[in-house]
């Protein structure tokens, strides 16, 4: 059973549908007992970091997530990945969950090519830096779908894969059993489904 | 590196896909769910659905179709047509849409754009604008291209982007359905005013038109309907051609 953390952020329709499409049992929940009973956790998220962290904290689930992430695989998606970091500089400075060393910073000032647009919206090739069981069903260079204006920085030790947006943009991170993807696997066609399938088999 | 996107557009009325020329003379093409499957398999980067039904029954049928598509196709889905309120955003997002495109509804009530952006994020709000030349000026038209609002298109689009539209889809009424190429002059004028992704629509007739389009700075995606629906060009064939000619594509 996969538990998707329900903290009132983002649209879970596609994520639920893609897990169902893969034949995986999943539940959207804010119940600590169900997070503890699940064999994996997904932390979704869309929107602004500060607001999302506040809502997550308000559910009282942060200590549960921190404890469970030591025992079972956790996947943060998009903003859910960014929440895994120590801190973010999106509209001020905010503390994150602190699983991944590094910080979340705006893309725009760091881009080498000023003609590139922010947010980055679209399909970009995923370059695998370190092989991992999460990539067991995908090849180097497959395309995944991104929508974001901020990205993970100073996280070399945890970075498994990047995409080129005139700078290497952090695509996949891992710290122990905790994984994060900046892109949306549930919107990345067959490639995304194969990443979710691999996550379910970790 | 990020790819350019190829987006087929499905206009849905009473549960069927239709496509007009110059926004008139609409004729039936096919079943939207079947067509979505076909395009996904052919490599479409996103799908756009416009609900062009006016009736309550037609609207219910549309959301049912959307739910079916979103349950089995895992690429971005944009929905437009009949979006006038935040409740309309809510209705289609709950059925699996990722982005919502606003047009006439935002012209009538511009505050819809900042309100929706604040609730769902800029990435969710696509401004769709029907643009036509009138007296040497680009004007924005409402009601499916039938009504001249008298407003300057460039000013309107710039305002919408400043207030939360995260993407702009530009339909040229002058080139729509003519199949003689995109309206590069109009697209270029908008691209030099706004910095969000631009989706070009109206006028695609052959693969060379897309190559020419992506040769212009600031255009991120090409949208078309008729040439794909009538199988004059397959998405796979188009993407292979563009890739061979130096435009990065997801193949």
């Amino acid at each position: 059973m996969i538990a998707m953390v329900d903290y009132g952020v983002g649209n879970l329709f596609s994520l639920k549908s893609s897990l169902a499409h893969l034949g995986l049992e999943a539940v959207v929940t804010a119940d600590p007992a169900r997070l503890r009973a699940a064999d994996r956790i997904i932390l979704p998220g869309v929107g602004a970091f500060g607001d999302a962290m506040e809502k997550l904290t308000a559910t009282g689930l942060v200590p549960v997530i921190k404890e469970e992430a030591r025992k079972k695989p956790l996947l943060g998606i998009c903003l859910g990945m960014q929440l895994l970091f120590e801190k973010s500089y999106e509209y001020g400075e905010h503390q994150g969950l602190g699983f991944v060393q590094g910080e979340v910073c705006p893309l725009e000032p760091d881009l080498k090519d000023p003609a590139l647009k922010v947010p980055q919206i679209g399909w970009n090739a995923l370059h695998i830096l370190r092989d991992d069981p999460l990539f067991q069903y995908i090849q180097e260079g497959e395309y995944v779908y991104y929508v974001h204006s901020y990205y993970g920085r100073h996280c070399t030790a945890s970075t498994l894969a990047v995409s080129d947006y005139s700078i290497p943009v952090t695509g996949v991170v891992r710290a122990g059993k905790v994984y994060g993807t900046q892109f949306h696997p549930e919107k990345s066609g067959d490639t995304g489904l194969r990443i979710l399938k691999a996550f379910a088999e970790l | 590196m990020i790819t350019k996107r190829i987006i087929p557009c499905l206009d849905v009325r009473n549960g069927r896909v239709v496509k007009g020329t110059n926004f008139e003379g609409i004729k039936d093409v096919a079943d939207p769910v079947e067509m979505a499957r076909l395009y996904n398999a052919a490599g479409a980067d996103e799908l756009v659905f416009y609900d062009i039904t006016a009736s309550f029954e037609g609207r219910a049928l549309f959301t049912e179709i959307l739910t079916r598509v979103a349950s089995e196709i895992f690429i971005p889905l944009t929905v437009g047509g009949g979006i006038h309120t935040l409740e309309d955003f809510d209705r289609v997002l709950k059925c699996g849409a990722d982005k919502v495109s606003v047009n006439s509804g935002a012209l009538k009530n511009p505050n819809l754009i900042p309100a929706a952006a604040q609730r769902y994020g800029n990435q969710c709000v696509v401004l769709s604008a029907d643009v036509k030349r009138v007296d040497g000026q680009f004007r924005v038209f409402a009601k499916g291209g039938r009504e001249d609002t008298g407003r300057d298109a460039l000013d309107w689009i710039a305002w919408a982007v400043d207030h939360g539209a995260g993407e702009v889809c530009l339909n040229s009424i002058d080139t729509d359905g003519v199949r003689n190429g995109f309206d590069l002059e109009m697209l270029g004028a908008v691209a030099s005013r706004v910095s969000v992704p631009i989706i070009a629509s109206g006028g695609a007739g052959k693969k060379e038109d897309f190559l020419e389009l992506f040769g212009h700075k600031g255009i991120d995606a090409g949208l078309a309907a008729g040439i794909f629906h009538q199988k004059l060009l397959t998405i796979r064939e188009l993407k292979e051609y563009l890739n061979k000619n130096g435009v990065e594509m997801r193949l």
Side-chain angles (χ1 to χ4, degrees), chain B residues 173-184:
Chain B
I173 298 174
D174 294 320
T175 62
D176 185 72
V178 182
R179 295 188 181 158
N180 205 18
F182 290 94
D183 192 340
L184 299 170

Side-chain angles (χ1 to χ4, degrees), chain A:
Chain A
M1 172 73 77
I2 298 176
M4 286 174 270
V5 182
D6 179 11
Y7 61 110
V9 173
N11 185 354
L12 299 181
F13 188 100
S14 301
L15 191 55
K16 281 193 277 185
S17 306
S18 48
L19 296 175
H21 188 84
L22 290 166
L24 299 167
E25 256 192 284
V27 60
V28 179
T29 184
D31 176 0
R34 299 193 91 168
L35 290 184
R36 289 199 181 97
D39 50 31
R40 278 137 249 279
I41 295 172
I42 293 182
L43 183 63
V46 169
F49 191 101
D51 177 56
M53 200 60 211
E54 213 169 273
K55 283 184 175 147
L56 185 60
T57 306
T59 61
L61 292 173
V62 170
V64 183
I65 291 171
K66 285 191 173 169
E67 192 188 318
E68 293 305 304
R70 274 186 266 142
K71 305 179 199 157
K72 62 185 71 156
L74 181 145
L75 176 65
I77 296 176
C78 196
L79 181 63
M81 172 199 107
Q82 297 183 356
L83 295 178
L84 305 175
F85 280 67
E86 293 173 307
K87 60 180 167 181
S88 164
Y89 292 99
E90 182 172 359
Y91 300 112
E93 192 180 324
H94 308 276
Q95 297 300 309
L97 294 169
F99 291 116
V100 175
Q101 269 187 22
E103 56 198 25
V104 178
C105 296
L107 261 178
E108 197 163 13
D110 291 353
L111 295 180
K112 296 259 162 36
D113 179 354
L116 286 172
K117 297 178 182 183
V118 175
Q120 169 177 219
I121 299 183
W123 297 84
N124 205 331
L126 189 65
H127 301 297
I128 297 171
L129 304 181
R130 261 176 242 167
D131 207 10
D132 191 276
L134 190 70
F135 305 137
Q136 65 169 315
Y137 299 120
I138 66 164
Q139 310 279 319
E140 156 62 24
E142 287 194 39
Y143 287 92
V144 289
Y145 188 77
Y146 286 89
V147 181
H148 66 125
S149 301
Y150 290 77
Y151 77 113
R153 212 172 63 167
H154 298 147
C155 51
T156 320
S158 307
T159 305
L160 296 183
V162 296
S163 289
D164 173 21
Y165 203 54
S166 80
I167 53 166
V169 166
T170 306
V172 183
V173 290
R174 176 181 177 185
K177 291 186 194 311
V178 174
Y179 286 82
T181 64
Q182 179 62 66
F183 55 87
H184 286 273
E186 78 281 16
K187 281 288 146 193
S188 296
D190 283 345
T191 301
L193 290 176
R194 282 184 267 118
I195 291 171
L196 290 172
K197 179 175 155 66
F199 173 71
E201 292 175 12
L202 287 173

